[in-house]
């Protein structure tokens, strides 16, 4: 039986797998910061309600200015969106009838949005045997015939962060063949802002950087993201968006989030610490673990992956399976880094499971 797709919705997962959902469920399948929304957002909540009775700013202000200040880019280079998901849809709309390269395994929404918008999707495979590293030779060969290339950096689900040299080589080659390079930096907040390619947008009109506010600031319900690119590209993408596409509450919350430096540093440290602990534990059990830079990691047990996944599910522990990630074919599991006690519970449950095999 194929496991159902699930995007951070454990209730639906239990129903579709016909497994009774325990009263308490620990969800490691989603990747938001376990700290929850920043304290400044929680404190401002009563005053934020005033945003509800007026139409929002059509350009997503005051968030657009806050992004421009945060990244030291011109406001004309910023388009705010209803989550990075909206940005991906707007982008896909600009590739109708065009050829777009994806590097699998990667975030499934690239293919979904591109196909629905009539783009021709060409999939390049990062091979398991080579540790899912970017297939540089294939990429450089395919670029001249492509209109765009998407790279998720760090990648979801592998957590791998391509090197600066690799990305610069690709972007430079892409510039020569007038190919767009879309870098999805949805999880770069968990690495270090200095690793972002946003400063390179000034040098490369073919470079577009997608960012999400969801993951670092734990605000998946509010829907906020943005793209940074050349002003001309921003202008055309904006034309495809509906008026008032970013709600006023989100635009205010985003400003508060970007001011949260200590919160960000704490989240980076927490993700790093828990990732290392988990990787060490898993390797001690003979599992393969990729060197993730994000707030999740992927692992491959020596034993039956599907059995581990379902046995944990029965105990109320939800991991992310990889059946719909091309090239991982269900052999890997992704684990989001959650609170310290949750991570300890997971290690304990897996320890028991490994002992019983
Ligand atoms: C790599 C990647 N990009 C973009 C998104 C979409 O994020 P948002 O919540 O901002 O729409 C996700 C969500 O899971 C993601 O994993």
């Amino acid at each position: 039986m194929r496991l159902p797709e699930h995007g951070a919705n454990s209730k639906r997962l239990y129903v579709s797998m016909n497994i009774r959902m325990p009263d308490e469920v620990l969800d490691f399948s989603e990747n938001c910061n376990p700290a929850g929304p920043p304290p400044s957002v929680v404190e401002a909540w009563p005053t934020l309600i005033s945003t509800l009775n007026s139409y929002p700013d059509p350009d997503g202000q005051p968030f657009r200015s806050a992004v421009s200040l945060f990244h030291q880019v011109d406001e004309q280079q910023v388009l705010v969106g209803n989550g990075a998901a909206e940005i991906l849809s707007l982008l896909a709309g600009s590739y109708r009838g065009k050829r777009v390269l994806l590097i699998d395994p990667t975030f499934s929404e690239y293919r979904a949005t591109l196909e629905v918008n009539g783009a021709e999707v060409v999939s390049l495979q990062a091979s398991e045997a080579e540790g899912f590293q970017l297939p540089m030779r294939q990429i450089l060969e395919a670029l001249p015939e492509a209109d765009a290339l998407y790279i998720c950096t760090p990648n979801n689900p592998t957590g791998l962060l391509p090197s600066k040299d690799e990305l610069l080589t690709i972007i430079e080659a892409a510039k020569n063949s007038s190919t767009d390079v879309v870098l999805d930096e949805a999880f770069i907040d968990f690495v270090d802002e200095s690793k972002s390619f946003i400063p390179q947008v000034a040098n490369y009109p073919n470079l577009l950087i997608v960012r999400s506010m969801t993951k670092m600031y734990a605000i998946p319900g509010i829907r906020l993201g943005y793209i940074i690119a050349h002003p001309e590209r921003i202008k055309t993408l904006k034309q495809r968006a509906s008026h008032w596409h970013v709600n006023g509450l989100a635009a205010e919350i985003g400003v508060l989030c970007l001011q949260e430096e200590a919160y960000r540093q704490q989240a980076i440290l927490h993700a790093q610490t828990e990732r290392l602990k988990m990787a060490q534990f898993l390797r001690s059990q003979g599992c393969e673990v990729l060197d993730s830079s994000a707030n999740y990691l992927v692992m491959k047990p020596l034993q039956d992956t599907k059995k581990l996944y379902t046995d944990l599910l029965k105990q109320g522990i939800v991991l992310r399976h990889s059946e719909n990630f091309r090239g991982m074919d269900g052999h890997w599991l992704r684990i989001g880094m959650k609170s310290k006690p949750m991570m300890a519970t997971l290690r304990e449950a897996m320890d028991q499971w490994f002992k019983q095999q």
Side-chain angles (χ1 to χ4, degrees):
M1 186 192 82
R2 242 186 111 72
L3 297 170
E5 288 189 22
H6 66 103
N9 187 336
S10 33
K11 206 187 236 170
R12 207 181 292 168
L13 176 68
Y14 277 95
V15 171
S16 57
M17 289 197 63
N18 204 17
I19 296 176
R20 195 193 71 79
M21 187 167 159
D23 293 337
E24 199 193 345
V25 167
L26 301 182
D27 190 353
F28 298 87
S29 74
E30 59 92 15
N31 298 323
C32 289
N33 182 350
S40 60
V41 173
V42 178
E43 278 159 31
W45 198 247
T47 56
L48 289 169
I49 202 153
S50 66
T51 58
L52 302 193
N53 57 9
S54 51
Y55 274 94
D57 180 89
D59 291 325
Q61 294 289 22
F63 185 58
R64 190 187 194 196
S65 297
V67 170
S68 127
L69 194 67
F70 185 76
H71 292 294
Q72 295 291 297
V73 295
D74 197 283
E75 260 180 42
Q76 311 305 314
Q77 292 177 278
V78 181
L79 173 64
V80 180
N82 195 278
E86 188 199 18
I87 299 289
L88 292 174
S89 288
L90 294 173
L91 265 177
S94 68
Y95 297 126
R96 180 175 299 278
K98 306 248 170 101
R99 175 179 290 193
V100 184
L101 305 175
L102 300 183
I103 302 160
D104 283 309
T106 198
F107 184 46
S108 57
E109 279 300 294
Y110 306 150
R111 176 179 294 275
T113 50
L114 287 162
E115 285 184 348
V116 86
N117 278 284
E120 180 200 347
V121 176
V122 177
S123 169
L124 305 181
Q125 186 66 47
S127 88
E128 182 173 334
E130 283 164 33
F132 296 106
Q133 298 293 326
L134 285 184
M136 288 298 287
R137 193 179 50 79
Q138 284 185 58
I139 293 172
L140 295 174
E141 272 171 19
L143 271 179
E145 302 301 321
D147 297 291
L149 161 71
Y150 283 39
I151 304 179
C152 187
T153 159
N155 189 25
N156 179 4
T158 60
L160 297 177
L161 183 73
S163 73
K164 188 173 182 186
D165 280 354
E166 282 175 319
L167 291 178
L168 277 177
T169 305
I170 291 170
I171 296 164
E172 189 65 40
K175 185 180 171 189
N176 296 335
S177 60
S178 302
T179 308
D180 286 350
V181 177
V182 176
L183 295 186
D184 181 352
E185 295 188 345
F187 290 97
I188 202 112
D189 304 83
F190 290 97
V191 186
D192 184 350
E193 198 53 52
S194 70
K195 298 279 193 259
S196 169
F197 262 64
I198 289 173
Q200 298 291 346
V201 169
N203 305 329
Y204 295 97
N206 61 324
L207 180 60
L208 303 98
I209 313 278
V210 178
R211 298 286 293 245
S212 168
M213 294 294 284
T214 295
K215 316 294 179 179
M216 169 54 82
Y217 303 101
I219 50 171
I222 207 74
R223 314 307 304 130
L224 193 61
Y226 50 96
I227 182 165
I228 297 187
H230 190 277
E232 282 307 312
R233 304 302 300 271
I234 295 296
K235 216 191 280 174
T236 30
L237 285 172
K238 171 76 177 162
Q239 283 162 358
R240 295 174 198 277
S242 59
H243 208 58
W244 305 304
H245 57 129
V246 176
N247 73 75
L249 181 58
E252 293 290 344
I253 287 178
V255 174
L256 296 173
C257 288
L258 289 182
Q259 291 164 0
E260 290 276 358
E261 183 56 26
Y263 167 96
R264 268 192 297 277
Q265 290 311 321
Q266 176 56 33
I268 293 172
L269 186 65
H270 178 77
Q272 259 172 8
T273 313
E274 291 303 329
R275 210 172 57 221
L276 289 179
K277 257 194 277 181
M278 182 53 79
Q280 201 170 27
F281 162 75
L282 291 168
R283 287 182 179 131
S284 77
Q285 300 290 334
C287 304
E288 208 173 317
V289 182
L290 295 186
D291 282 324
S292 167
S293 296
N295 58 333
Y296 48 83
L297 58 76
V298 288
M299 58 84 101
K300 185 179 176 184
L302 284 170
Q303 301 84 350
D304 181 352
T305 308
K306 198 182 273 186
K307 184 165 187 317
L308 172 59
Y309 176 79
T310 15
D311 287 351
L312 288 176
L313 210 53
K314 286 175 193 160
Q315 295 177 46
I317 291 178
V318 185
L319 305 188
R320 178 67 166 89
H321 68 73
S322 61
E323 294 210 344
N324 52 343
F325 286 119
R326 291 169 178 232
M328 291 188 129
D329 306 320
H331 301 306
W332 295 77
L333 295 170
R334 193 188 66 200
I335 303 173
M337 297 302 119
K338 296 293 152 186
S339 68
K340 206 169 156 182
M342 270 178 76
M343 299 311 291
T345 306
L346 175 59
R347 282 193 297 274
E348 178 56 33
M350 287 202 287
D351 194 40
Q352 292 300 322
W353 189 87
F354 288 125
K355 283 192 178 119
Q356 287 158 14
Q357 302 312 301

